Structures are given as structure tokens and as C-alpha cells.
Amino acid sequence: MNAVRKRARWLAPAAVLLALAAVISARAEIPLAERRSGYADLAPDTKAMQDDDTSNPGMLAVLDGEALWKTKAGNAGRACADCHADARVSMKGVAARYPAFEPTLSRPVNLEQRINICRTERQQAQPFASESKDLLALTAFVGMQSRGQPIAPPADERLRPFLDAGREAFSRRLGQFNLSCGQCHDDNWGKRLIGNIIPQAHPNGYPLYRLEWQSIGSLQRRLRNCMIGLRAEPYEYGAPEYVSLELYLMWRARGLPAETPAVRP
Amino acid sequence: MTDKRTENLATRRDVLASAGSLVGGGLVSGLGLATISVAHAQAQSTPAAMALAIHKIAGEATVKPGKVKLDMPPLSENGNSVSLTVTVDSPMTPANHVKAIHVVTEKNPQPYVISVRLGPRAGQANISTRMRLSDTQIVVAIAELSDGSFWSDTRTVIVTLGACLEELI
Amino acid sequence: MARALINVPAKAKRGEVITIKTLISHVMESGFRHNQIGVRIPRDIITSFTCTYNGEEIFQADLHPAITANPFIAFTTIATESGTIAFTWRGDNGFSAAESVNITVE
């Protein structure tokens, strides 16, 4: 990979970091009362973009999703709407409690995967590819039906080992920088890093419109970006490691209002 | 990956290379960091190209500062999308109105951003859009009035870079 | 067909200055970027936007590669009479999109 060559530039700063990172003492999880959405850290014009549906580009994906919701597909020739009727009713609060345990797979699935299960089993159609326009659009449309609802991870004992795995991954040191997610997002949130405010890393706005991407993207894409930022090898899209992290992030964000489709820098 | 972002690779590489050491230092000492992009990018328009663009807009007329208000955040969270609003102090009557508003920049690959034509039916001379800024630079808004005069306002916008990126650069 | 979002008040008083906001899905590929193997990605942008009010042009914009992906343009107009406000976007590779909304002026 050409990335390896480019990485050379990083060795010097990374060495400094390795030495210094050891000094950081890990703090506990953010107290519930101090938790705040990434929205709180946005500049006024980015907030304004999210606040007004007609200026939020994420809404373009929601409109695409609404059209797909009503489109018949697959060998079954059924649309999502044929079984789930009005999404405003049937999908209200659903996104706020994903990832959820999927008994047929004996593991949790996130909302994208849950939609693809209906896509393959109920519609008998090809699954949508990860990060494809259609999957993001449907996820954003379903996600928006939970807007304003509190994040409510299911109290399902079967999720426990996956939640623990996600928590462990969040505090594991990664990549050349040898930093854990928690060292930034639990211990240093609110401080600035290369001009960006370090947010608390809540998943309550996804899929969201990221200015950096110039498009809408999933939580996994965001997690990938943070891993790449740490010079760690990201997992494949859909990997169980991501789903466990997502589950932990949702648990960590419990009670915060869903904002899909949010806007972030 | 669908979103290949190499437009301002040169800028980012330079900035990130120096930012690397700041990442460690900043976090460890708990200091707030506000490093900004000051590196030189390649293949960009220059102040001279901007001057030429302004000349094309205004011809021989002098572009005077005043009447125009360009609103932009002084510090942008991401150069891919920076909000801008141009307001011109004008009664917008058939006899005295703004005919056109132009926005140009100093260091993007090209100086032109947007040119709009409007007239008395607008009621107010007030437009908003969002623009890309490849780097920290000067943005100029120019209004052409119905009496043939040109007026302008200038802003400097500092562009910060995302910390968590799509590709290793 | 590109997806667009238009915000125009459904009702206005005669003579009132109303704000029109438009957002359209488009990559606005600048033509200055290169892909991972160093090949320039060809320009693909919206180059012009026009708004008419009952057929008469009230606003026109020329867009350049420095305009963001999914262009947002907001401007004002005087609500003169009931009717149709129509929007057209044109661009590279034969891109064309149109939307219209009705307004009631009392």
C-alpha cells in the first residue's frame, strides 16, 4: 500500500506521542449529566445547517429514502411500505434502539444490517452494498423517524458480551499513536485538536451529513475515519467489531435525543 | 472509496505532518490547540489571478470598499463548506438597485465562486450560499449597482482541517 | 433526477419580501481533484441556476467549482402575485433539473 510509504512522515511525531501517551491517566466514563451531543460543539453556521431541514443536505438522502420505502423490489415484489405501512408510525423509535440482538445470527445487527435482512428475506432482493447511496438513504429515512426520541439501547441480556466487547474496544490503545478512543473522547472532550473540538463521540446523529465527506455517511464510516486518524488498520464494513463498538456508543449515549440526519464538520 | 479527496493534498500533508507532534503535546499537557492551515498549496489561483478576475468584472471602474457586507465565519470548521451571505445596502428601486453580485477568492484553484444577477424585484440585495476554501485566504464580494459603480467587502477566513480523515495522507 | 429541496412560503402578503432557499443534490466535482492513481477527475458541476416568477426571470446565478457539493442558494423576492415560482439548474454533461412551487399572494 502506498499508505506505508506516506507513513514515514509520521514516525517522528508518533514517537513523541508514544512516549507521552503513557502519561495520560485514564479517567472514568463521562457522568450522565455531563453528556452532550456533538451538536453542542458545532460552530453556529453548522448548527444552523442542521436546524433547518431545507438547508440540511442530509434531508436530500431522507427524501431518497422515502421514495425507496415506497418502491416495490425483489422477487417478492413488495415495498417496505407494503409491510410496514407508514414509517412515521411503524419506524418511530426503532433506530434509537439499534444495534439489537438478531436471534437467527446469534449476534447484534445495526440498523443498516437490519434493513438488509428485510431486503434479502422479505423482499428477496440483492442486499444493498455498505455505504451505498440506497442503503444510506433508507437508513436515514428510518433513522429520522426517531428524531427527538431518546437513545434507548435494549436491556437485552444477550447483548451483554457484545456490549462488554465494545467497551473494551473503546478503551484499547490503537495504531501508531497508541491512543484509545476513550483517551480523546472520555478524557479530553471539549479540548481542541488541530483546530477541531474533540466531541464526546456520540452516535445519535447517524447517518449524517459530514462536511468533510461532502455527503451523507454511516457511523461505521465515521469510526473508520477515527481509526485511520490513529494510524490503525480499520475493520471491514459490517465487521462485528464495529457493531459491538456501535452498541457501546449507543449505551454510552443513552437518553440523548436522536438527531438523524445530523450535520458535522 | 467514493469520496476521494485529494484536492488540497499538498496543504493537508504539510499541516498534518506538523500537527502530528501537536496531537501528542496538546493532549498530554491538556492544552487547547488551535493550529491553523498556513501551508502553501499548489496549483492555486493567486492574488494576481484574483485581481484579473476583479478587472474582468469591473472593467475600468474602480471597486470601492463600502455598501457591501460579506458575512462569513472567521474560522471555518471545514473548507468543504463555508457559509457566506452577501448583503448590499441598496433601496432596490428601478432607479437605484444592485444589478449583480460576484464573489471571488485569492487562493482557490480558480478565483471565481459565484456571480448572480438580480434586480429591483428582489426587494433586498441579500444572497446566501456555501463555498469551498482550499486554504486560509481572502474572499471578496463585489456588487455592481445600476448607476455603474462597484462596491466591495473583504473577509479573511481561516480554514481548519478535520482530525479524523478518510484516507491516510 | 436530482433531488431538490425548495423553501418558499406558501402564502405571502402582496409587496412582502420573501426568502427563497434552494438545495439540490449534486457532487460538484471541481475538476481539480485527482484520484488515487493520480488521474484528474473531470469537472462535473452545476454551472447555472435560474429562478422565474410567473415566467419572468427574477434571479440568475453562474456557479463555479468553488461552490459546495449539494449547492445551497438563498435569495429574496417581492411577492407580487399568486402563481408559480420555477427553478432550473443546468450543468456539465447535460445536467438539467427543474422544480416549481406555488405561492398564494393576498
Side-chain angles (χ1 to χ4, degrees), chain A residues 8-228:
Chain A
R9 301 191 68 141
W10 279 92
L11 290 178
V16 176
L17 220 129
L18 274 169
L20 296 174
V23 185
I24 306 176
S25 60
R27 265 199 269 138
E29 279 162 0
I30 304 166
L32 281 181
E34 284 177 35
R35 284 167 325 146
R36 60 176 205 214
S37 163
Y39 177 86
D41 301 315
L42 301 180
D45 52 319
T46 316
K47 276 187 179 154
M49 210 164 160
Q50 175 172 326
D51 290 344
D52 174 2
D53 278 351
T54 54
S55 78
N56 177 350
M59 287 305 293
L60 296 166
V62 170
L63 289 180
D64 283 338
E66 186 174 15
L68 282 169
W69 180 261
K70 297 177 193 150
T71 309
K72 294 191 188 301
N75 289 336
R78 313 281 299 268
C80 317
D82 290 337
C83 296
H84 294 292
D86 186 349
R88 284 172 300 180
V89 179
S90 63
M91 292 292 137
K92 188 174 180 185
V94 170
R97 53 178 170 73
Y98 269 77
F101 193 79
E102 176 55 42
T104 57
L105 298 170
S106 307
R107 59 175 167 82
V109 293
N110 64 17
L111 187 58
E112 284 89 341
Q113 291 169 326
R114 176 60 253 198
I115 289 171
N116 256 338
I117 292 174
C118 272
R119 176 89 180 155
T120 51
E121 304 199 343
R122 308 278 172 180
Q123 294 186 308
Q124 293 163 37
Q126 286 296 315
F128 295 115
S130 303
E131 291 307 294
S132 60
K133 187 171 179 275
D134 287 355
L135 184 55
L136 288 167
L138 265 173
T139 312
F141 174 67
V142 171
M144 205 190 93
Q145 313 309 322
S146 298
R147 195 157 68 168
Q149 303 270 110
I151 301 294
D156 182 339
E157 264 311 307
R158 295 171 297 179
L159 289 172
R160 168 82 45 200
F162 302 95
L163 181 65
D164 290 343
R167 180 190 284 110
E168 197 274 322
F170 196 78
S171 46
R172 193 188 310 144
R173 289 174 183 241
L174 288 175
Q176 286 194 344
F177 280 0
N178 199 32
L179 285 171
S180 73
C181 317
Q183 282 175 303
C184 280
H185 294 299
D186 282 340
D187 304 346
N188 285 289
W189 61 267
K191 291 177 189 158
R192 275 186 184 276
L193 176 69
I194 332 177
N196 304 271
I197 294 177
I198 301 176
Q200 292 184 349
H202 291 305
N204 56 323
Y206 291 81
L208 57 69
Y209 192 87
R210 192 172 175 214
L211 305 182
E212 174 64 25
W213 298 331
Q214 309 187 59
S215 72
I216 193 150
S218 71
L219 178 55
Q220 289 199 2
R221 185 172 178 189
R222 195 59 176 78
L223 301 183
R224 258 183 89 85
N225 289 182
C226 265
M227 294 186 71
I228 290 168

Side-chain angles (χ1 to χ4, degrees), chain B residues 4-7 80-81 109-110 112-117 121-124 126-132 167, chain C residues 27-28 32-34 36 53 56 59-62 64-69 72-78 80:
Chain B
K4 296 192 189 70
R5 218 175 158 268
T6 49
E7 183 178 12
N80 284 340
S81 178
Q110 273 185 353
Y112 300 101
V113 179
I114 193 168
S115 290
V116 312
R117 275 205 308 274
R121 285 198 60 173
Q124 293 170 1
N126 185 330
I127 62 147
S128 298
T129 187
R130 296 177 189 143
M131 70 171 293
R132 293 169 167 151
E167 289 163 40
Chain C
V27 289
M28 293 297 280
F32 298 112
R33 303 199 302 172
H34 297 80
Q36 274 165 329
Y53 192 144
E56 192 190 323
F59 184 88
Q60 195 275 337
D62 290 331
H64 296 277
I67 292 295
T68 50
F72 172 80
I73 301 175
F75 53 98
T76 56
T77 194
I78 297 173
T80 50

Side-chain angles (χ1 to χ4, degrees), chain C residues 15-82:
Chain C
E16 187 186 334
V17 177
I18 57 167
T19 298
I20 298 177
K21 292 191 217 167
T22 67
L23 186 65
I24 185 164
S25 62
H26 197 288
V27 289
M28 293 297 280
E29 184 58 60
S30 69
F32 298 112
R33 303 199 302 172
H34 297 80
N35 67 13
Q36 274 165 329
I37 53 163
V39 179
R40 189 176 278 246
I41 307 169
R43 194 184 90 164
D44 181 14
I45 66 164
I46 292 177
T47 50
S48 97
F49 167 77
T50 310
C51 175
T52 60
Y53 192 144
N54 283 344
E56 192 190 323
E57 184 177 304
I58 54 163
F59 184 88
Q60 195 275 337
D62 290 331
L63 280 60
H64 296 277
I67 292 295
T68 50
N70 306 306
F72 172 80
I73 301 175
F75 53 98
T76 56
T77 194
I78 297 173
T80 50
E81 57 191 346
S82 296

